[in-house]
Amino acid sequence: MVLTPRLSPPTDPPHPAPPAQPAHPAAVEANEAIRALVEARAGQDWSPVESAAYEVLLIEWAAATKDSAAGEIIEAA
């Protein structure tokens, strides 16, 4: 089977993209902290303190995203 690119965009998209909604600032902050911790320790064993910090950040992120609109997806680290 050969896939060929479509030369022109479809004339009637099946579903319009939903408008972008800003994430809750606390969720963004927790997600950035989670990402920084994970990237800093990539490929290394985590100490009990680092594991506990990660768990706390996940709880903070979950609490910040809990009140988001139903069906909205907020990216996690």
Side-chain angles (χ1 to χ4, degrees):
M1 179 163 130
V2 176
L3 299 177
T4 57
R6 186 179 295 191
L7 299 177
S8 61
T11 57
D12 188 28
H15 301 286
Q21 304 235 348
H24 192 281
V28 171
E29 184 178 320
N31 192 43
E32 289 173 358
I34 291 167
R35 192 176 307 273
L37 178 62
V38 170
E39 288 175 356
R41 301 300 300 164
Q44 302 175 27
D45 290 335
W46 288 27
S47 71
V49 172
E50 291 165 331
S51 294
Y54 178 74
E55 186 174 338
V56 168
L57 289 170
L58 286 179
I59 291 168
E60 289 175 4
W61 178 84
T65 59
K66 178 180 163 196
D67 295 329
S68 64
E72 181 180 339
I73 298 173
I74 299 177
E75 181 183 346

